[in-house]
């Protein structure tokens, strides 16, 4: 009896698991392929426990490499060493990586050198900003990828420009949209209890509000950039209550530099997936620098203002609910108040193939490529 081809599903950071979850469900439903979830340990906080995986509807990782901490180089090196040993012992038939984190880069290099085909989910995205570590990871990973799974037209154009063969590129839609649609449906189901969520108490007290998430070094690592952020938040909070689940590094920098955010702002700790979704899905505005949240807000039609000079996800601006505002306070404040005061009601539309079935398309391609 022939054995099923084995795929390693590599993830290391919270957003990776949100992208892996729909693929796991599609693999379970399809049945042609064997698979293992490989958790590199890049994010090793307490939130990455069994509850997190239960929320996403996926089993706990089959393998935990435990490679958290250290600089970019230290972390990448540790992951490469650990994953090389795993590949030597298990000899998978393919390595599937998602997104643009250090784990994506490290495991794709190891797999490629071991002669294992690399599948990159969310391939071809480009910000053009070489100061972003994620941009380096995207470029290097796509330089050695065998099968490219693409979320939007800009990524198709980039891969074509970079000379990737058409037969290796697959426009499948977006697993991040798969996941948020699945989770939002679960959240809306009768009997789903949100009363234990920290965000539920905030929502009951504030019928209309703005959600903020900021974590990129360009926004939160220097006192100058944090002063710009504070100027924006004070102006927006004068119009509408703000709730800000604060990344630990962001909170540490706010305290270190003595930044005053002002009144009408509620700071929360990092939120579990469902608690955070429960919060932002009903927001009047999301103000963020997160790539994933730009996509999720577009999938659910929630107005979003992105505090960045560039985005590798232009479809969220061209078709979706996102506005790219730059980082100058005046421009960000103007974009935010346009939404809050009703001058701009940008809900956009959900892009083609962002229909909740991207993972099914990915699994079908993999099964055919691996002869399953």
């Amino acid at each position: 009896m022939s054995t099923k081809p084995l795929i390693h599903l590599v993830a290391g950071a919270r957003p990776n698991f949100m992208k892996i979850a729909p693929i796991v469900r599609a693999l379970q439903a399809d049945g042609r392929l064997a698979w293992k979830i490989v958790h590199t340990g890049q994010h090793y906080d307490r939130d990455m426990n069994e509850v997190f995986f239960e929320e996403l509807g996926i089993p706990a990782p089959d393998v935990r490499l435990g490679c958290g901490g250290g600089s970019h180089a230290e972390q990448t090196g540790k992951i490469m060493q650990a994953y090389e040993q795993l590949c030597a012992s298990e000899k998978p038939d393919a390595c599937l990586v998602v997104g643009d984190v250090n784990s994506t880069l490290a495991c794709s290099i190891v797999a490629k050198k071991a002669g294992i085909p690399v599948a990159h989910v969310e391939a071809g995205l480009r910000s053009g900003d070489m100061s972003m570590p994620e941009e380096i990871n995207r470029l290097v990973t796509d330089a050695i990828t065998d099968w490219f799974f693409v979320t939007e037209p800009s990524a198709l154009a980039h891969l074509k420009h970079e000379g990737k063969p058409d037969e290796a590129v697959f426009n499948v839609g977006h697993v991040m949209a798969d996941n948020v649609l699945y989770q939002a449906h679960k959240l809306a189901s009768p009997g789903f209890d949100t009363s234990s969520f920290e965000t539920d108490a905030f929502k009951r007290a504030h019928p209309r509000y703005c959600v903020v998430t900021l974590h990129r070094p360009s926004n939160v690592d220097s006192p100058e950039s944090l002063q710009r952020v504070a100027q924006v938040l004070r102006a927006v909070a004068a119009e509408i209550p703000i709730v800000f689940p604060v990344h630990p590094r962001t909170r540490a920098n706010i305290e270190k530099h003595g930044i005053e955010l002002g009144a009408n702002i509620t700071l929360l700790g990092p939120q579990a997936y469902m608690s955070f979704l429960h919060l932002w899905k009903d927001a009047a505005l999301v103000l963020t620098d997160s790539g994933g949240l730009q996509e999720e807000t577009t999938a659910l039609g929630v107005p979003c203002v992105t505090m960045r000079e560039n985005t590798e996800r232009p479809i969220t601006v061209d078709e979706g609910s996102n506005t790219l505002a730059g980082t100058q306070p005046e421009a960000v404040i103007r974009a935010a108040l346009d939404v809050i005061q009703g001058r701009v009601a940008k809900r956009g539309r959900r892009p083609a193939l962002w229909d909740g079935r991207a993972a099914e398309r990915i699994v079908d391609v993999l099964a055919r490529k691996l002869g399953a």
Side-chain angles (χ1 to χ4, degrees):
M1 187 178 76
S2 63
T3 57
K4 297 176 182 178
L6 172 64
I7 296 181
H8 279 171
L9 308 174
V10 174
R14 284 169 61 98
N16 294 171
F17 287 97
M18 298 168 198
K19 295 164 190 171
I20 288 287
I23 298 171
V24 169
R25 290 192 290 270
L27 285 162
Q28 289 171 328
D30 183 274
R32 286 178 284 175
L33 298 166
W35 48 274
K36 285 188 175 182
I37 300 175
V38 179
H39 183 359
T40 67
Q42 181 176 331
H43 278 189
Y44 53 97
D45 53 61
R46 287 179 300 165
D47 292 333
M48 294 290 275
N49 57 26
E50 305 308 310
V51 174
F52 177 72
F53 298 102
E54 287 171 17
E55 278 197 332
L56 294 176
I58 59 173
D62 300 278
V63 180
R64 294 178 187 265
L65 299 182
C67 299
S71 68
H72 281 275
E74 289 169 330
Q75 191 175 74
T76 302
K78 284 192 288 187
I79 294 168
M80 288 180 72
Q81 288 179 309
Y83 188 56
E84 184 178 52
Q85 292 178 14
L86 182 65
C87 286
S89 64
E90 295 201 344
K91 297 179 172 60
D93 296 283
C95 168
L96 182 144
V97 294
V98 297
D100 51 25
V101 298
N102 291 339
S103 301
T104 308
L105 171 70
C107 293
S108 61
I109 292 173
V110 168
K112 190 67 174 181
K113 287 191 172 184
I116 299 163
V118 175
H120 185 198
V121 174
E122 220 180 49
L125 297 180
R126 302 287 181 265
S127 69
D129 183 355
M130 296 296 279
S131 71
M132 292 174 65
E134 297 91 342
E135 184 76 350
I136 309 299
N137 292 345
R138 287 188 283 262
L139 285 163
V140 176
T141 300
D142 281 344
I144 56 174
T145 288
D146 294 278
W147 305 316
F148 304 85
F149 293 105
V150 171
T151 61
E152 61 167 273
S154 74
L156 290 172
H158 291 138
L159 293 173
K160 190 172 188 65
H161 177 72
E162 292 165 15
K164 310 307 181 194
D166 290 345
E167 61 271 20
V169 179
F170 305 92
N171 186 16
V172 292
H174 202 353
V175 290
M176 191 68 114
D178 287 12
N179 187 62
V180 75
L181 293 171
Y182 175 88
Q183 300 292 82
H185 178 74
K186 193 157 76 169
L187 196 58
S189 61
F192 190 96
D193 184 15
T194 61
S195 61
S196 64
F197 293 165
E198 185 180 19
T199 56
D200 198 57
F202 178 87
K203 286 181 70 172
R204 286 198 301 272
H206 303 90
R208 192 166 184 266
Y209 54 89
C210 168
V211 174
V212 172
T213 78
L214 296 166
H215 71 279
R216 292 196 178 276
S218 58
N219 279 329
V220 303
D221 275 9
S222 74
E224 294 79 16
S225 59
L226 276 171
Q227 288 291 3
R228 289 198 299 269
V229 166
Q231 184 180 340
V232 170
L233 298 191
R234 287 193 294 266
V236 174
E239 297 288 326
I240 191 171
I242 286 177
V243 58
F244 186 0
V246 189
H247 190 283
R249 193 178 81 253
T250 306
R251 187 184 285 267
N253 286 338
I254 288 170
E255 293 171 359
K256 173 183 172 183
H257 298 303
I259 304 297
E260 290 294 330
L261 297 180
N264 212 23
I265 299 175
T266 302
L267 301 183
L268 303 179
Q271 295 297 304
Y273 185 86
M274 290 298 264
S275 177
F276 185 50
L277 173 60
H278 178 57
L279 180 68
W280 69 255
K281 73 178 180 63
D282 296 316
L285 172 69
V286 172
L287 175 63
T288 191
D289 59 12
S290 160
L293 200 49
Q294 292 174 53
E295 295 170 324
E296 290 185 304
T297 49
T298 276
L300 295 189
V302 177
C304 177
V305 168
T306 297
M307 193 168 174
R308 281 172 53 183
E309 296 296 341
N310 52 59
T311 179
E312 62 282 357
R313 294 157 166 93
I315 199 169
T316 63
V317 177
D318 297 340
E319 297 186 25
S321 57
N322 184 26
T323 299
L324 187 64
T327 56
Q328 291 308 305
E330 297 79 7
V332 180
I333 292 166
R334 185 166 56 250
L337 296 186
D338 278 348
V339 174
I340 291 163
Q341 295 173 351
R343 290 189 294 274
V344 175
K346 188 177 183 185
R347 296 197 173 268
R349 63 183 179 87
R350 195 179 298 152
L353 298 179
W354 289 29
D355 56 1
R357 302 187 64 184
E360 295 173 34
R361 299 181 190 106
I362 290 168
V363 169
D364 187 58
V365 170
L366 292 173
R368 287 188 282 112
K369 290 291 183 183
L370 294 171

